[in-house]
Amino acid sequence: PPAVTAAGGALEKYTVKTTANDMEEIIIKTLVGEYTEHSINHGRKVFKKTSPPPPGTEAVEVFIYYWDSRDGPTFEGWWFGNQVGGSQVWSHAASSQMTPPVAGWKIPWDGPLRTTLVLEKVQTAVQTGPVTIAANPNMVRGREILQATQKAVEDATTPAKESLTQAAAMHANYTSLEGIKTAEALLGPRMQALGQAMRVV
């Protein structure tokens, strides 16, 4: 699973790569790799190299960080260095945006632009799958009451329907006063039971 911040969100990651055939250069070997969100400096996120060094290359700590204009416009921007605000730096991009720029990096830091050095943000996969939600006791109890009420209404309604059918069969669908009285007599107890069931609702 992806690493997460203290607030629970996924840590940002960047991949630094070169589009040229210059991996033999020590600086390029040092900078190329994967970087993970590490801390904050001057209002911007700091990223630390987390991928292992290429074979035959000494392991060196590398950070991508932002430095504001407190030391003058020359030093403002994004940097690759062995520590935040340290004296050993390898590359600089004159940008004040909130995230490391995709391109525009100078190598060495005060040299020409190296257009082949690029950064790409790593897209963190969103985990999907079934979500288990804890049952709310009140909801469970409410559902039980509803089911019990529905059964009570059904239990009271079914005999009432049967009584009506019985009365209709005996007196030709209530065409006589005697048939209506018979229906009332049969339905009386059933209606009381139905009334009690409806009061529960």
Side-chain angles (χ1 to χ4, degrees):
V4 296
T5 63
L11 293 174
E12 286 188 35
K13 292 185 177 182
Y14 283 86
T15 297
V16 177
K17 62 182 183 179
T18 178
T19 59
N21 188 23
D22 54 4
M23 276 298 293
E24 294 304 314
E25 295 185 31
I26 297 299
I27 291 182
I28 298 299
K29 285 183 179 181
T30 301
L31 303 186
V32 166
E34 188 172 271
Y35 292 72
T36 302
E37 180 182 338
H38 178 265
S39 57
I40 299 289
N41 185 66
H42 292 186
R44 309 286 194 276
K45 291 180 179 180
V46 175
F47 300 87
K48 182 180 181 180
K49 187 175 180 180
T50 52
S51 56
T57 305
E58 182 183 354
V60 178
E61 286 197 334
V62 186
F63 295 88
I64 303 173
Y65 64 93
Y66 175 76
W67 198 262
D68 61 22
S69 60
R70 67 187 64 191
D71 295 323
T74 301
F75 299 103
E76 182 180 7
W78 286 89
W79 295 84
F80 281 92
N82 70 331
Q83 60 182 6
V84 177
S87 58
Q88 184 176 357
V89 291
W90 297 285
S91 182
H92 174 243
S95 169
S96 60
Q97 66 186 51
M98 293 301 296
T99 56
V102 172
W105 296 92
K106 295 180 294 183
I107 299 177
W109 74 269
D110 56 352
L113 284 176
R114 184 69 67 95
T115 58
T116 54
L117 186 75
V118 294
L119 275 68
E120 289 184 355
K121 186 173 182 179
V122 177
Q123 299 299 321
T124 303
V126 178
Q127 186 175 359
T128 59
V131 178
T132 301
I133 301 176
N136 185 319
N138 293 331
M139 293 179 63
V140 173
R141 179 57 181 161
R143 185 165 56 248
E144 292 175 349
I145 292 174
L146 179 59
Q147 291 173 346
T149 301
Q150 289 174 339
K151 187 177 185 304
V153 172
E154 290 175 1
D155 290 345
T157 303
T158 300
K161 290 180 179 178
E162 292 175 351
S163 297
L164 285 173
T165 302
Q166 181 182 356
M170 293 172 58
H171 299 283
N173 292 327
Y174 322 122
T175 55
S176 67
L177 180 60
E178 184 179 356
I180 295 173
K181 289 182 178 180
T182 300
E184 289 178 347
L186 291 171
L187 282 175
R190 308 303 184 191
M191 294 305 295
Q192 291 179 0
L194 182 60
Q196 292 176 353
M198 293 303 295
R199 280 196 293 273
V200 175
V201 179

